[in-house]
Amino acid sequence: MLAEAAAAMEALLPPGHAARARALLADAPGQVAADYGSAPGSSADDAWQVYAHYVRLTQYGRVPAEDQQRLAQLLPLPVVDDLIDDGHLVPRAVPEDGDRRLYLQARLTPSQVDTEGLLRLGWAQEQARREFRLRLARGDVAVLDEARGLTDEQLKLAADLAKVRAAGRIPAELSAMKWLWPALERLAPQAPVNLRRDKAFGSWFVVRRMHRALRAAHREQLLNDHRRADSLLKHARNDANALREIWTPGGWEAKNLLAYLLVLNATGEESYDEALEMISPVAEGGGLREDQLPGTGRTRLEHNRTVLRQLQRHRDDDHLLNPYLILGVADGAPTEVWKEKWRALRRALDDDGEAAVNQAKDAIQSLERGRAVVEPFLVPLLPPRWANPTAGAAATGAGAPPMPRRTAAPTQQERDYARDRAARGIIRAACQNVGLPADAAAFPASFPESSNQ
């Protein structure tokens, strides 16, 4: 219609619209100023702006993000998918709300789609990829045998972790990924580490290993397997000796554990003297200075010195240095936690073992009631520091690939949508200019959804 009326445009159209009509016929809206035409906010002007931005984006790729966001909201969805596939839309083009937001978020900013969004989309591949990362971050290495739908990067990681499990060694490039530490520990619990080169992972790894050995040794003592208990204590002592001079809080954890072992079965005054010397403040060159420890560590260290001095003055052969360790629970564990563990142990032990856990139970109850003469020797000094790291675990969507499009290729009518809308706006302006009634049905107030929603 516009082409047929080209000769009469100046007479039919109000000022400015003839220029728009000629630019539209040439598919070159850039020839017309963006704000030249009908009153701002009118439906005809809005339609022209959508068309102009669409052409500029596809031909030159230079449209502000807010205008890209408007195109993403208004154009037929298959056309928007084409723009995404061609790399024309930036992440900020995701609408702030509306029915398309979640779909376009998965296409443009997939890492920002939360678990609920994945379920609503039915995006099973990304759910599997995130489950892979999340389970590894928790130390659940069984996921390596169930891997499916992974990215190439994740497949390589799975292969590298399989090598760790087979060789029992941890390469530096893997230990540098903090979120992977629980999985690495599970795959190679006895792996050698270079404590001076890899202080962060090495300290975390060895501190946890020596404390795990200490807890296991107490368990074996309850089971009357003293040979196994002695072997575990030897492993804990070896790790502590290797770690004690490292300039990290792990060095203090090592010395604290060595002090505990020195008085665990103390036979004379010298054991207490040596244990106190082990956790006394150190001078420069002897490892991390005590004043460089976090406040909690310094407080617990001074507490342990007080415990040793009290025991040194009033030794009691029946005193339990740490009843929580005997039950295998954390220092200061809630009553319901340690009692549940105590009940479970009683059912699994012989008479001697049961007597030992009953003694631990009595010691904790005395402590909770404020009747303990000497409080427990605390192990470790900084429990949160040696817990599973949370860094990276929450960002399970990091590196997520975009969701593949779910629309078919656009039809020609959908490709011409913006141009057709702009043409209808010009025709309506012509009708109004010459006093003809504008057909409202030919130019609805809102942009309808496409055939692909």
Side-chain angles (χ1 to χ4, degrees):
M1 184 182 296
L2 283 178
E4 291 174 0
M9 281 182 185
E10 294 295 343
L12 292 173
L13 293 167
H17 280 283
R20 281 187 175 181
R22 285 191 292 271
L24 186 143
L25 290 172
D27 214 14
Q31 296 175 0
V32 180
D35 58 351
Y36 190 14
S38 57
S42 70
S43 56
D45 199 53
D46 288 344
W48 178 259
Q49 298 301 334
V50 170
Y51 164 65
H53 291 318
Y54 174 64
V55 173
R56 290 184 186 116
L57 184 63
T58 54
Q59 292 184 359
Y60 308 108
R62 293 193 300 271
V63 172
E66 58 269 22
D67 295 320
Q68 292 190 28
Q69 188 179 86
R70 189 154 178 258
L71 291 176
Q73 288 176 311
L74 298 177
L75 293 175
L77 195 55
V79 176
V80 176
D81 271 332
D82 272 2
L83 292 175
I84 293 172
D85 290 344
D86 293 338
H88 289 313
L89 294 185
V90 298
R92 285 176 56 200
V94 175
E96 295 181 0
D97 51 35
D99 294 340
R100 292 185 177 185
R101 173 175 169 76
L102 182 59
Y103 177 81
L104 294 180
Q105 197 175 43
R107 296 278 283 131
L108 289 168
T109 57
S111 63
Q112 294 181 16
V113 179
D114 59 18
T115 302
E116 181 184 351
L118 295 179
L119 291 171
R120 287 169 56 195
L121 288 166
W123 192 5
Q125 296 91 338
E126 182 59 19
Q127 287 177 276
R129 289 189 286 264
R130 294 197 191 182
E131 181 185 16
F132 173 79
R133 182 183 176 101
L134 190 60
R135 288 177 64 181
L136 282 181
R138 294 197 299 253
D140 182 0
V141 296
V143 72
L144 296 175
D145 303 316
E146 306 164 11
R148 55 188 173 83
L150 304 183
T151 63
D152 290 343
E153 183 180 359
Q154 287 180 321
L155 287 171
K156 181 181 183 304
L157 176 60
D160 290 342
L161 292 174
K163 292 177 183 177
V164 170
R165 178 161 52 188
R169 292 183 174 274
I170 301 172
E173 59 268 23
L174 292 182
S175 65
M177 291 186 275
K178 192 171 184 179
W179 69 274
L180 264 183
W181 288 2
L184 295 174
E185 179 186 53
R186 188 66 60 86
L187 291 168
Q190 300 303 321
V193 291
N194 188 324
L195 290 167
R196 299 193 179 278
R197 182 195 65 198
D198 196 354
K199 290 184 179 179
F201 172 71
S203 291
W204 179 89
F205 187 80
V206 174
V207 166
R208 284 169 63 97
R209 184 166 66 189
M210 69 187 188
H211 287 153
R212 191 164 57 246
L214 180 62
R215 291 191 298 271
H218 279 296
R219 179 63 183 269
E220 296 301 326
Q221 287 174 339
L222 292 176
L223 295 170
N224 283 324
D225 190 343
H226 296 289
R227 181 176 178 180
R228 173 65 177 157
D230 290 344
S231 175
L232 288 164
L233 290 176
K234 180 180 178 181
H235 285 299
R237 188 178 292 107
N238 289 342
D239 275 339
N241 280 320
L243 186 62
R244 61 187 289 188
E245 300 301 333
I246 298 298
W247 284 70
T248 72
W252 277 103
E253 293 288 6
K255 287 181 279 193
N256 190 61
L257 184 139
L258 289 170
Y260 178 87
L261 294 179
L262 282 167
V263 298
L264 182 61
N265 296 303
T267 57
E269 184 76 21
E270 64 280 358
S271 297
Y272 290 93
D273 291 339
E274 193 175 349
L276 280 166
E277 178 63 26
M278 182 65 67
I279 58 174
S280 65
V282 295
E284 292 283 348
L288 187 73
R289 295 197 315 271
E290 183 180 350
D291 62 6
Q292 294 176 306
L293 277 174
T296 300
R298 296 196 302 272
T299 300
R300 291 168 74 94
L301 194 57
E302 185 55 41
H303 168 92
N304 285 350
R305 292 188 190 119
T306 299
V307 169
L308 293 180
R309 294 187 190 105
Q310 288 176 320
L311 292 174
Q312 191 177 37
R313 290 194 299 269
H314 307 288
R315 278 202 303 278
D316 181 355
D317 292 340
D318 292 330
H319 176 75
L320 299 180
L321 197 54
N322 187 314
Y324 293 103
L325 273 174
I326 292 174
L327 295 183
V329 296
D331 289 339
T335 302
E336 61 272 16
V337 172
W338 69 256
K339 278 193 173 181
E340 181 180 353
K341 191 63 179 290
W342 164 65
R343 294 187 187 101
L345 285 171
R346 286 181 64 198
R347 293 192 293 267
L349 299 173
D350 61 17
D351 290 344
D352 290 339
E354 183 179 356
V357 295
N358 284 340
Q359 185 184 5
K361 180 262 295 183
D362 292 341
I364 295 175
Q365 284 184 330
S366 294
L367 180 66
E368 290 181 340
R369 295 166 183 169
R371 298 175 183 171
V373 177
V374 181
E375 295 188 1
F377 186 101
L378 302 175
V379 180
L381 297 172
L382 295 165
R385 190 181 187 93
W386 317 116
N388 282 348
T390 57
T396 52
M403 185 178 73
R405 68 184 294 163
R406 293 181 173 180
T407 63
T411 63
Q412 189 60 48
Q413 183 180 6
E414 288 172 327
R415 291 192 184 95
D416 291 340
Y417 178 81
R419 193 167 186 260
D420 179 65
R421 296 289 296 173
R424 288 173 183 270
I426 294 171
I427 293 169
R428 183 175 182 179
C431 291
Q432 293 173 334
N433 190 51
V434 298
L436 294 174
D439 183 1
F443 193 73
S446 62
F447 290 90
E449 294 289 344
S450 75
S451 60
N452 286 272
Q453 293 300 306

